[in-house]
Amino acid sequence: MPDNGAPVINYGLVGVYIADSKICKVDGTAGRLYYRGYSIDLLAKNSSYEEVCYLILYGHLPTNEELDSFKKKLIDARPLPDMVIDVIEEFAKKQDPMDTLRSAVSALSAYDNKMDDRTESANLDRGVNLISKMASIVATIGRYRRGGGYVQPDSSLSHAENLLYMMNGTKPSQKDAKLLDLMLILHAEHSSNASTFSTLVAGSTLADLYSAVTSGIAALKGPLHGGADEAALKMMKTIGDPDNTETYIDEALKGKNKIMGFGHRVYKTYDPRAMIIKNDLMSLQENESQEVKTLTAIALRAEKMMIDRLGKTHGIWPNIDFFAGPIYVSMGMSIEMFTPIFAASRIVGWCAHMIEYWKDNRIFRPLEYYSGPLDLQYVPVGERK
Ligand code: SDX
């Protein structure tokens, strides 16, 4: 307790545990990440987003039958209701796509005719529906922003393939589909990050799953969180020429500006997801456009400088958002769609944590230390100076 009687305040809840969970382990010291006990490296190499969603939601890797049945549920839930398409058409070109996403997801609850059923099984079904529809909504937002119209989903395509198909109106290359599937796996879940915590706070009042994940979408938008991938790419585009990298970073740091895509509340070493994305980006180079090659060269020089300057001494290393931009550019993804894609992946983490938390629910109500005046006299408005 500080001398003036004020309590110790954990700003940003640094170091505070808010729940006991079996979904995800983030080892910030060793730079390791596990979904339900499986390391992200193994899942990135062997799994698919559909299989990872099943693992995160239900707690075990599915059998063939379980996976086939889960994939069919996702496929059957892909089509969007007309009114949701209308919401997207109305807003897609007028606002940030994360705002349109928030409105479209909120609208989905109008089509849930079992809203009073809050059993775990009903919420798991809602989670499957949200995973499927978030991808269709994000794809449709991207499509309308480019002047296109709604594309009916294709039930023969995988989750990642169909997202790109509904976004671009053409079937994706195997390279792009595989890359997106990997990005969806890597962004799927990350313990009590800001957007998952926001989801839990909203749901801890026993609001419904749509309301809870809408809170998660709102929190993910910020550049300190999910919006960092877009901000990092904007920085790379501003740098423009690899030879400008060191000067740009040096001036930014001198101005006490944060370099987006670096630093993490938990990882005090290289974010394992960033390493996987970087390695994939490096393996792409040969057949890539000059734009991707230039962005990659800038990213590598910025990475080296930031690690030299702040990595070993301050624990500020690349995080998942840093190398994501050049990967999405290589798929032809518009920069403003990066964070919506993050949301289309993280929906499974939000739902899994919310369903787990509801098993032993406790409303979040932290304390705030009041340091203002007390017992002031009320002066009628006519007598105030
Ligand atoms: C994600 O939580 C998760 O798990 C999130 C995520 C997930 O999967 O859900 O991993 C996804 O959001 C990754 C992070 C994406 N955000 C960015 O890349 C934005 C840039 N990074 C920073 O804003 C920051 O590192 C945070 C927000 C990620 C972490 O913030 P903290 O833990 O509150 O740390 P801080 O802001 O208090 O920084 C501590 C010090 C400060 O210096 P001092 O004021 O003490 O002198 O480190 C400095 C900061 O200025 N610092 C940076 C920096 N990040 C921290 N300096 C320069 N560049 C940076 N990127």
PDB file of all heavy atoms in Angstrom, residues 335-355:
ATOM      1  N   ILE A 335      -5.819  -3.809 -47.483  1.00  0.00           N
ATOM      2  CA  ILE A 335      -5.253  -3.580 -46.154  1.00  0.00           C
ATOM      3  C   ILE A 335      -6.335  -3.442 -45.076  1.00  0.00           C
ATOM      4  O   ILE A 335      -6.178  -3.937 -43.959  1.00  0.00           O
ATOM      5  CB  ILE A 335      -4.325  -2.338 -46.170  1.00  0.00           C
ATOM      6  CG1 ILE A 335      -3.590  -2.181 -44.846  1.00  0.00           C
ATOM      7  CG2 ILE A 335      -5.061  -1.076 -46.535  1.00  0.00           C
ATOM      8  CD1 ILE A 335      -2.446  -1.198 -44.887  1.00  0.00           C
ATOM      9  N   GLU A 336      -7.467  -2.843 -45.429  1.00  0.00           N
ATOM     10  CA  GLU A 336      -8.503  -2.629 -44.404  1.00  0.00           C
ATOM     11  C   GLU A 336      -9.239  -3.920 -44.044  1.00  0.00           C
ATOM     12  O   GLU A 336     -10.027  -3.953 -43.104  1.00  0.00           O
ATOM     13  CB  GLU A 336      -9.499  -1.546 -44.843  1.00  0.00           C
ATOM     14  CG  GLU A 336     -10.535  -1.980 -45.861  1.00  0.00           C
ATOM     15  CD  GLU A 336     -10.018  -1.940 -47.298  1.00  0.00           C
ATOM     16  OE1 GLU A 336      -8.825  -1.675 -47.506  1.00  0.00           O
ATOM     17  OE2 GLU A 336     -10.841  -2.188 -48.208  1.00  0.00           O
ATOM     18  N   MET A 337      -8.933  -5.008 -44.775  1.00  0.00           N
ATOM     19  CA  MET A 337      -9.575  -6.298 -44.482  1.00  0.00           C
ATOM     20  C   MET A 337      -8.710  -7.167 -43.570  1.00  0.00           C
ATOM     21  O   MET A 337      -9.143  -8.252 -43.152  1.00  0.00           O
ATOM     22  CB  MET A 337      -9.911  -7.050 -45.760  1.00  0.00           C
ATOM     23  CG  MET A 337     -10.937  -6.354 -46.641  1.00  0.00           C
ATOM     24  SD  MET A 337     -12.436  -5.865 -45.748  1.00  0.00           S
ATOM     25  CE  MET A 337     -13.093  -7.458 -45.270  1.00  0.00           C
ATOM     26  N   PHE A 338      -7.502  -6.717 -43.229  1.00  0.00           N
ATOM     27  CA  PHE A 338      -6.611  -7.558 -42.410  1.00  0.00           C
ATOM     28  C   PHE A 338      -7.251  -7.848 -41.043  1.00  0.00           C
ATOM     29  O   PHE A 338      -7.323  -8.979 -40.595  1.00  0.00           O
ATOM     30  CB  PHE A 338      -5.276  -6.841 -42.155  1.00  0.00           C
ATOM     31  CG  PHE A 338      -4.413  -6.634 -43.368  1.00  0.00           C
ATOM     32  CD1 PHE A 338      -4.815  -7.034 -44.626  1.00  0.00           C
ATOM     33  CD2 PHE A 338      -3.165  -6.035 -43.239  1.00  0.00           C
ATOM     34  CE1 PHE A 338      -4.006  -6.841 -45.744  1.00  0.00           C
ATOM     35  CE2 PHE A 338      -2.325  -5.845 -44.345  1.00  0.00           C
ATOM     36  CZ  PHE A 338      -2.759  -6.235 -45.587  1.00  0.00           C
ATOM     37  N   THR A 339      -7.731  -6.794 -40.372  1.00  0.00           N
ATOM     38  CA  THR A 339      -8.271  -7.000 -39.023  1.00  0.00           C
ATOM     39  C   THR A 339      -9.591  -7.761 -39.040  1.00  0.00           C
ATOM     40  O   THR A 339      -9.818  -8.626 -38.184  1.00  0.00           O
ATOM     41  CB  THR A 339      -8.388  -5.656 -38.271  1.00  0.00           C
ATOM     42  OG1 THR A 339      -7.127  -4.972 -38.372  1.00  0.00           O
ATOM     43  CG2 THR A 339      -8.684  -5.866 -36.790  1.00  0.00           C
ATOM     44  N   PRO A 340     -10.473  -7.517 -40.025  1.00  0.00           N
ATOM     45  CA  PRO A 340     -11.655  -8.375 -40.120  1.00  0.00           C
ATOM     46  C   PRO A 340     -11.306  -9.852 -40.297  1.00  0.00           C
ATOM     47  O   PRO A 340     -11.970 -10.726 -39.731  1.00  0.00           O
ATOM     48  CB  PRO A 340     -12.388  -7.813 -41.339  1.00  0.00           C
ATOM     49  CG  PRO A 340     -12.020  -6.365 -41.366  1.00  0.00           C
ATOM     50  CD  PRO A 340     -10.593  -6.330 -40.908  1.00  0.00           C
ATOM     51  N   ILE A 341     -10.232 -10.130 -41.041  1.00  0.00           N
ATOM     52  CA  ILE A 341      -9.799 -11.534 -41.183  1.00  0.00           C
ATOM     53  C   ILE A 341      -9.358 -12.066 -39.825  1.00  0.00           C
ATOM     54  O   ILE A 341      -9.666 -13.195 -39.443  1.00  0.00           O
ATOM     55  CB  ILE A 341      -8.632 -11.653 -42.199  1.00  0.00           C
ATOM     56  CG1 ILE A 341      -9.118 -11.348 -43.608  1.00  0.00           C
ATOM     57  CG2 ILE A 341      -7.971 -13.034 -42.146  1.00  0.00           C
ATOM     58  CD1 ILE A 341      -9.970 -12.434 -44.251  1.00  0.00           C
ATOM     59  N   PHE A 342      -8.659 -11.236 -39.058  1.00  0.00           N
ATOM     60  CA  PHE A 342      -8.249 -11.615 -37.694  1.00  0.00           C
ATOM     61  C   PHE A 342      -9.510 -11.979 -36.889  1.00  0.00           C
ATOM     62  O   PHE A 342      -9.584 -12.991 -36.218  1.00  0.00           O
ATOM     63  CB  PHE A 342      -7.528 -10.425 -37.042  1.00  0.00           C
ATOM     64  CG  PHE A 342      -6.795 -10.700 -35.751  1.00  0.00           C
ATOM     65  CD1 PHE A 342      -5.680  -9.947 -35.398  1.00  0.00           C
ATOM     66  CD2 PHE A 342      -7.218 -11.669 -34.857  1.00  0.00           C
ATOM     67  CE1 PHE A 342      -4.993 -10.176 -34.201  1.00  0.00           C
ATOM     68  CE2 PHE A 342      -6.549 -11.915 -33.657  1.00  0.00           C
ATOM     69  CZ  PHE A 342      -5.441 -11.149 -33.341  1.00  0.00           C
ATOM     70  N   ALA A 343     -10.552 -11.145 -37.008  1.00  0.00           N
ATOM     71  CA  ALA A 343     -11.803 -11.396 -36.270  1.00  0.00           C
ATOM     72  C   ALA A 343     -12.472 -12.690 -36.732  1.00  0.00           C
ATOM     73  O   ALA A 343     -12.971 -13.470 -35.920  1.00  0.00           O
ATOM     74  CB  ALA A 343     -12.759 -10.212 -36.454  1.00  0.00           C
ATOM     75  N   ALA A 344     -12.434 -12.930 -38.057  1.00  0.00           N
ATOM     76  CA  ALA A 344     -13.060 -14.145 -38.604  1.00  0.00           C
ATOM     77  C   ALA A 344     -12.365 -15.388 -38.084  1.00  0.00           C
ATOM     78  O   ALA A 344     -12.943 -16.473 -38.042  1.00  0.00           O
ATOM     79  CB  ALA A 344     -13.016 -14.126 -40.128  1.00  0.00           C
ATOM     80  N   SER A 345     -11.109 -15.240 -37.667  1.00  0.00           N
ATOM     81  CA  SER A 345     -10.389 -16.369 -37.071  1.00  0.00           C
ATOM     82  C   SER A 345     -10.642 -16.444 -35.564  1.00  0.00           C
ATOM     83  O   SER A 345     -10.986 -17.486 -35.021  1.00  0.00           O
ATOM     84  CB  SER A 345      -8.887 -16.199 -37.324  1.00  0.00           C
ATOM     85  OG  SER A 345      -8.163 -17.108 -36.529  1.00  0.00           O
ATOM     86  N   ARG A 346     -10.493 -15.295 -34.872  1.00  0.00           N
ATOM     87  CA  ARG A 346     -10.564 -15.281 -33.416  1.00  0.00           C
ATOM     88  C   ARG A 346     -11.947 -15.542 -32.866  1.00  0.00           C
ATOM     89  O   ARG A 346     -12.124 -15.822 -31.667  1.00  0.00           O
ATOM     90  CB  ARG A 346     -10.053 -13.907 -32.905  1.00  0.00           C
ATOM     91  CG  ARG A 346      -9.912 -13.763 -31.406  1.00  0.00           C
ATOM     92  CD  ARG A 346      -9.040 -14.807 -30.744  1.00  0.00           C
ATOM     93  NE  ARG A 346      -7.707 -14.894 -31.243  1.00  0.00           N
ATOM     94  CZ  ARG A 346      -6.675 -14.149 -30.802  1.00  0.00           C
ATOM     95  NH1 ARG A 346      -6.876 -13.244 -29.879  1.00  0.00           N
ATOM     96  NH2 ARG A 346      -5.474 -14.296 -31.310  1.00  0.00           N
ATOM     97  N   ILE A 347     -12.962 -15.551 -33.709  1.00  0.00           N
ATOM     98  CA  ILE A 347     -14.337 -15.822 -33.239  1.00  0.00           C
ATOM     99  C   ILE A 347     -14.393 -17.144 -32.476  1.00  0.00           C
ATOM    100  O   ILE A 347     -15.101 -17.254 -31.461  1.00  0.00           O
ATOM    101  CB  ILE A 347     -15.330 -15.818 -34.415  1.00  0.00           C
ATOM    102  CG1 ILE A 347     -16.760 -16.095 -33.936  1.00  0.00           C
ATOM    103  CG2 ILE A 347     -14.959 -16.792 -35.490  1.00  0.00           C
ATOM    104  CD1 ILE A 347     -17.346 -15.010 -33.067  1.00  0.00           C
ATOM    105  N   VAL A 348     -13.590 -18.123 -32.895  1.00  0.00           N
ATOM    106  CA  VAL A 348     -13.636 -19.418 -32.202  1.00  0.00           C
ATOM    107  C   VAL A 348     -13.066 -19.289 -30.791  1.00  0.00           C
ATOM    108  O   VAL A 348     -13.610 -19.853 -29.829  1.00  0.00           O
ATOM    109  CB  VAL A 348     -12.918 -20.526 -32.993  1.00  0.00           C
ATOM    110  CG1 VAL A 348     -11.424 -20.254 -33.140  1.00  0.00           C
ATOM    111  CG2 VAL A 348     -13.152 -21.877 -32.344  1.00  0.00           C
ATOM    112  N   GLY A 349     -12.033 -18.491 -30.621  1.00  0.00           N
ATOM    113  CA  GLY A 349     -11.459 -18.294 -29.278  1.00  0.00           C
ATOM    114  C   GLY A 349     -12.432 -17.563 -28.370  1.00  0.00           C
ATOM    115  O   GLY A 349     -12.620 -17.933 -27.197  1.00  0.00           O
ATOM    116  N   TRP A 350     -13.076 -16.527 -28.916  1.00  0.00           N
ATOM    117  CA  TRP A 350     -14.057 -15.784 -28.122  1.00  0.00           C
ATOM    118  C   TRP A 350     -15.181 -16.707 -27.639  1.00  0.00           C
ATOM    119  O   TRP A 350     -15.541 -16.717 -26.466  1.00  0.00           O
ATOM    120  CB  TRP A 350     -14.671 -14.646 -28.939  1.00  0.00           C
ATOM    121  CG  TRP A 350     -13.711 -13.559 -29.326  1.00  0.00           C
ATOM    122  CD1 TRP A 350     -12.545 -13.213 -28.685  1.00  0.00           C
ATOM    123  CD2 TRP A 350     -13.804 -12.711 -30.475  1.00  0.00           C
ATOM    124  NE1 TRP A 350     -11.933 -12.173 -29.352  1.00  0.00           N
ATOM    125  CE2 TRP A 350     -12.677 -11.848 -30.448  1.00  0.00           C
ATOM    126  CE3 TRP A 350     -14.721 -12.554 -31.511  1.00  0.00           C
ATOM    127  CZ2 TRP A 350     -12.450 -10.874 -31.428  1.00  0.00           C
ATOM    128  CZ3 TRP A 350     -14.514 -11.577 -32.479  1.00  0.00           C
ATOM    129  CH2 TRP A 350     -13.387 -10.755 -32.433  1.00  0.00           C
ATOM    130  N   CYS A 351     -15.704 -17.521 -28.574  1.00  0.00           N
ATOM    131  CA  CYS A 351     -16.828 -18.402 -28.221  1.00  0.00           C
ATOM    132  C   CYS A 351     -16.396 -19.475 -27.214  1.00  0.00           C
ATOM    133  O   CYS A 351     -17.081 -19.706 -26.212  1.00  0.00           O
ATOM    134  CB  CYS A 351     -17.384 -19.064 -29.471  1.00  0.00           C
ATOM    135  SG  CYS A 351     -18.214 -17.936 -30.603  1.00  0.00           S
ATOM    136  N   ALA A 352     -15.231 -20.065 -27.449  1.00  0.00           N
ATOM    137  CA  ALA A 352     -14.770 -21.153 -26.553  1.00  0.00           C
ATOM    138  C   ALA A 352     -14.564 -20.632 -25.134  1.00  0.00           C
ATOM    139  O   ALA A 352     -14.996 -21.253 -24.151  1.00  0.00           O
ATOM    140  CB  ALA A 352     -13.481 -21.753 -27.091  1.00  0.00           C
ATOM    141  N   HIS A 353     -13.931 -19.455 -25.019  1.00  0.00           N
ATOM    142  CA  HIS A 353     -13.690 -18.906 -23.671  1.00  0.00           C
ATOM    143  C   HIS A 353     -14.996 -18.521 -22.986  1.00  0.00           C
ATOM    144  O   HIS A 353     -15.185 -18.716 -21.790  1.00  0.00           O
ATOM    145  CB  HIS A 353     -12.755 -17.685 -23.746  1.00  0.00           C
ATOM    146  CG  HIS A 353     -11.315 -18.068 -23.817  1.00  0.00           C
ATOM    147  ND1 HIS A 353     -10.585 -18.406 -22.706  1.00  0.00           N
ATOM    148  CD2 HIS A 353     -10.485 -18.197 -24.876  1.00  0.00           C
ATOM    149  CE1 HIS A 353      -9.341 -18.713 -23.071  1.00  0.00           C
ATOM    150  NE2 HIS A 353      -9.267 -18.597 -24.387  1.00  0.00           N
ATOM    151  N   MET A 354     -15.939 -17.956 -23.767  1.00  0.00           N
ATOM    152  CA  MET A 354     -17.201 -17.535 -23.182  1.00  0.00           C
ATOM    153  C   MET A 354     -17.961 -18.758 -22.662  1.00  0.00           C
ATOM    154  O   MET A 354     -18.461 -18.735 -21.533  1.00  0.00           O
ATOM    155  CB  MET A 354     -18.055 -16.793 -24.222  1.00  0.00           C
ATOM    156  CG  MET A 354     -19.197 -16.028 -23.588  1.00  0.00           C
ATOM    157  SD  MET A 354     -18.629 -14.644 -22.587  1.00  0.00           S
ATOM    158  CE  MET A 354     -18.795 -15.249 -20.911  1.00  0.00           C
ATOM    159  N   ILE A 355     -18.009 -19.816 -23.460  1.00  0.00           N
ATOM    160  CA  ILE A 355     -18.735 -21.033 -23.063  1.00  0.00           C
ATOM    161  C   ILE A 355     -18.062 -21.678 -21.852  1.00  0.00           C
ATOM    162  O   ILE A 355     -18.733 -22.109 -20.908  1.00  0.00           O
ATOM    163  CB  ILE A 355     -18.826 -22.004 -24.257  1.00  0.00           C
ATOM    164  CG1 ILE A 355     -19.757 -21.417 -25.332  1.00  0.00           C
ATOM    165  CG2 ILE A 355     -19.302 -23.388 -23.825  1.00  0.00           C
ATOM    166  CD1 ILE A 355     -19.670 -22.071 -26.697  1.00  0.00           C
TER     167      ILE A 355
END
